[in-house]
Amino acid sequence: MRARATPPAPFQSLGSRVSILHVVIVGLSMVMTIGAWSFSKKQIETRNLMRFETARNSVVELIHDGMRRYEDALWAGVSAMESHGGDMTLAQWRSFAQALRVDEKYPGINGIGVIHFVGQEALAGYLAQRRAERPEFVSFPDHDGPIRMPISFVEPESANAAAIGLDVAHEANRRTAALLSRETGRAQISGPITLVQDAASTPGFLFFAPYYAGPAPGTVRERREQIIGSVYAPFVVHKLMAGLLAKDRRDIHFSITDAGQMIYSELGTDEHRNDPEPMFAETVSMQLYGREWVVDIRTNLAFRTKNTYAQPWVILAGGLIIEVLIISMLLLMSRGNARAIAYAEKATLALREKTRKLNATNNELEQFAYAASHDLKTPIRGIGGLAEMLREDLADYLASPEANPEIAENLDHIDERVARMTDLTNSIMAFARVGTVIEAQKSLNLAEVISTLALDFGLQDDQLEFEGEIPLIEADPVGLRRILENLVGNAIKYHDGVKPLAVKVRARAKQDRLYFEVIDNGPGIEPRFHQRIFDVFQTLRRPNGPESTGIGLAIVKKLVEMHGGTITLKSNLGHGAAFYFDWPAKQDAVDISAALPEAA
């Protein structure tokens, strides 16, 4: 940077002279702090939403999976009935149910039994058959319907004795589901009911699977004529949910309604983990064996405890503290500049001497970024070392089944951020090292440079091509090689694989300038980002894309402009990118500080 002959107009705050550049730096730093806070907050919100969606999907899938397992048990009962010609004795059914091990294999189910479909004319024969096994058997309650559907067997009998003989045709929800199951030949659940064997009279339902006489019927008429009965299972909803989902081990609570009637709820205020203002809530509609269950899912206090928003606020607080430090540092540096200028004025030094002194001070400021980045390396390495020590100390725990997987993930995040910070500091140092003096160096053969790049990047002949016949490069060959490395490297790094990689480097000479084109067939860049990508710390990284410090193209632009050239980009999404820049054909060692923007 060069000092202007005329000092900038000072801000009178605190008696210091704060330049526009300093204000811009503080403003950009504040924008970056707010941006980091906003980004972190958004990331936390997205992570929490994903965790809620995972928990929500888990609840829905567990209900679906559990009901499918219960359905399998019913069809096993149907197979058992069909293997006995459509009829089993009480002893045979009891033996089957014991072999099925309902209590152990199907937690949440109240039992498994058989319902026979009996016409009024066959009722006396049916009752005689049942009373031959159980003399006290009666069918109840009495009704005038054309068909009876008494419960013949249900096991375990001790928990379901009150239901034996119950005619499910007497009540609309039971009857409707049983008949629908008969008509369709598929499993069906009933609307909400109260089981006679449930002393607490809580909501429940029945699950039916029909079986028929003879070959499998193919029409509704055949099913009505061949129906024998249904294998069924009674459910008390709160017992079902306790069997399917351990409430105390979940971070969400939910309720279920069927046809507007609440059949299960964990959302009461008496729940010790109930969150009166849940972080997330969603209503899910489940189509389940002929019924629609509406599930209202909400996060509880356990979810809130595990998913706080503290991290973004810590970032914001830390950023603001850094802002205060930066402002203080700038004020101190500005005050130092003001004192230097005042001293120079008092000493009546010539304008050239004053300019030299200000240039020296500003050069120190330019080296500050390099020194700061260099000094940051030690604590960054220390953080990486501490993470490695933690990983070694926790190796046995992380390998154990009881290990919390988030610990290993957090250590991986630390390693990732240490690597990114190392890359960033190295890039800042590289940017700061782009010198202000170009030294005369050996000439450069451009064709050999392209061949070397192909070898360095492991490319085939058809992946990196060179076109052009120009003389040897005499002006800053190291800088030109660095530019080509960055542009070709970016084309490789961001190639999306939709087409085979193809990069072309073209060069032509015109008078005392060389004109270059670096063209790739990658994903392209939207025109609105064409200027932004050359700014320091700017990157267009996509999700799951390669990491970037956002400094590479800033170095390219700085090198080109140091040599009196310009760099432009032509690109559209899906059509690759083409970078154009010019370079001097020959240049001896010169001081190029005059080519840099003037600043106080």
Side-chain angles (χ1 to χ4, degrees), residues 246-264:
K247 180 169 62 177
D248 292 339
R249 296 164 63 184
R250 284 187 279 110
D251 295 339
I252 60 174
H253 286 166
F254 63 93
S255 67
I256 301 174
T257 56
D258 183 337
Q261 180 178 343
M262 183 75 69
I263 62 174
Y264 179 74

Side-chain angles (χ1 to χ4, degrees), residues 65-268:
D65 291 345
M67 295 304 295
R68 280 192 288 267
R69 288 195 298 116
Y70 299 141
E71 182 189 8
D72 291 341
L74 295 184
W75 290 119
V78 168
S79 297
M81 293 298 293
E82 290 175 345
S83 69
H84 287 77
D87 195 11
M88 295 175 71
T89 66
L90 173 60
Q92 289 171 333
W93 181 257
R94 183 168 292 162
S95 176
F96 162 76
Q98 290 174 351
L100 198 60
R101 292 185 297 170
V102 173
D103 293 340
E104 299 176 25
K105 297 175 64 177
Y106 302 95
I109 197 170
N110 224 57
I112 186 167
V114 177
I115 294 172
H116 283 93
F117 285 53
V118 184
Q120 291 287 5
E121 71 283 354
L123 180 59
Y126 167 79
L127 291 174
Q129 184 182 6
R130 297 280 76 82
R131 288 168 181 167
E133 298 174 323
R134 186 185 280 112
E136 70 280 7
F137 183 89
V138 293
S139 176
F140 67 96
D142 194 18
H143 62 86
D144 297 329
I147 190 171
R148 299 296 185 97
M149 302 176 194
I151 297 174
S152 302
F153 316 129
V154 59
E155 294 291 333
E157 187 173 311
S158 59
N160 296 280
I164 296 174
L166 176 69
D167 188 343
V168 300
H170 84 283
E171 186 269 330
N173 282 348
R174 293 175 171 88
R175 180 178 63 253
T176 300
L179 292 177
L180 185 59
S181 177
R182 178 193 69 178
E183 306 290 288
T184 61
R186 294 192 295 267
Q188 174 77 28
I189 65 176
S190 73
I193 62 171
T194 299
L195 300 182
V196 296
Q197 61 267 47
D198 180 16
S201 298
T202 58
F205 63 91
L206 301 182
F207 200 176
F208 301 95
Y211 64 96
Y212 305 89
T219 66
V220 172
R221 179 178 179 180
E222 291 174 347
R223 294 189 189 102
R224 289 175 179 174
E225 293 174 350
Q226 295 175 224
I227 187 67
I228 297 176
S230 290
V231 175
Y232 91 106
F235 290 89
V236 176
V237 180
H238 74 87
K239 292 182 180 178
L240 170 65
M241 294 305 155
L244 291 179
L245 304 159
K247 180 169 62 177
D248 292 339
R249 296 164 63 184
R250 284 187 279 110
D251 295 339
I252 60 174
H253 286 166
F254 63 93
S255 67
I256 301 174
T257 56
D258 183 337
Q261 180 178 343
M262 183 75 69
I263 62 174
Y264 179 74
S265 179
E266 302 171 350
L267 305 181

Side-chain angles (χ1 to χ4, degrees), residues 519-530:
I519 305 170
D520 66 59
N521 65 341
I525 301 171
E526 290 184 61
R528 62 193 177 101
F529 297 125
H530 286 188

Side-chain angles (χ1 to χ4, degrees), residues 273-334:
R273 294 198 298 176
N274 179 66
D275 190 345
E277 296 182 359
M279 296 174 66
F280 298 97
E282 186 173 344
T283 299
V284 178
S285 177
M286 298 176 58
Q287 301 300 322
L288 205 65
Y289 299 101
R291 302 295 298 180
E292 181 182 23
W293 282 6
V294 178
V295 186
D296 182 2
I297 303 174
R298 305 179 188 181
T299 56
N300 58 24
L301 292 176
F303 187 95
R304 182 179 293 277
T305 300
K306 295 178 182 178
N307 300 279
T308 65
Y309 289 98
Q311 181 179 349
W313 296 105
V314 171
I315 292 175
L316 179 61
L320 292 177
I321 292 173
I322 293 174
E323 293 302 320
V324 172
L325 295 176
I326 290 175
I327 292 172
S328 300
M329 179 187 68
L330 291 177
L331 290 174
L332 290 174
M333 290 191 299
S334 297

Side-chain angles (χ1 to χ4, degrees), residues 446-447 465-471 505-509 515:
L446 194 56
E465 298 179 4
F466 172 66
E467 298 177 9
E469 294 183 3
I470 60 175
V505 179
R506 295 173 180 164
R508 60 185 176 87
Y515 295 87

Side-chain angles (χ1 to χ4, degrees), residues 24 45 140 157 196 207 209 217 219 236 268 285 290 351 367 394 401-402 433 439 475 527 535:
V24 170
E45 290 174 349
F140 67 96
E157 187 173 311
V196 296
F207 200 176
T219 66
V236 176
S285 177
L351 179 60
Q367 294 299 317
L394 296 173
E402 297 82 15
R433 280 201 300 265
E439 298 180 358
D535 295 337

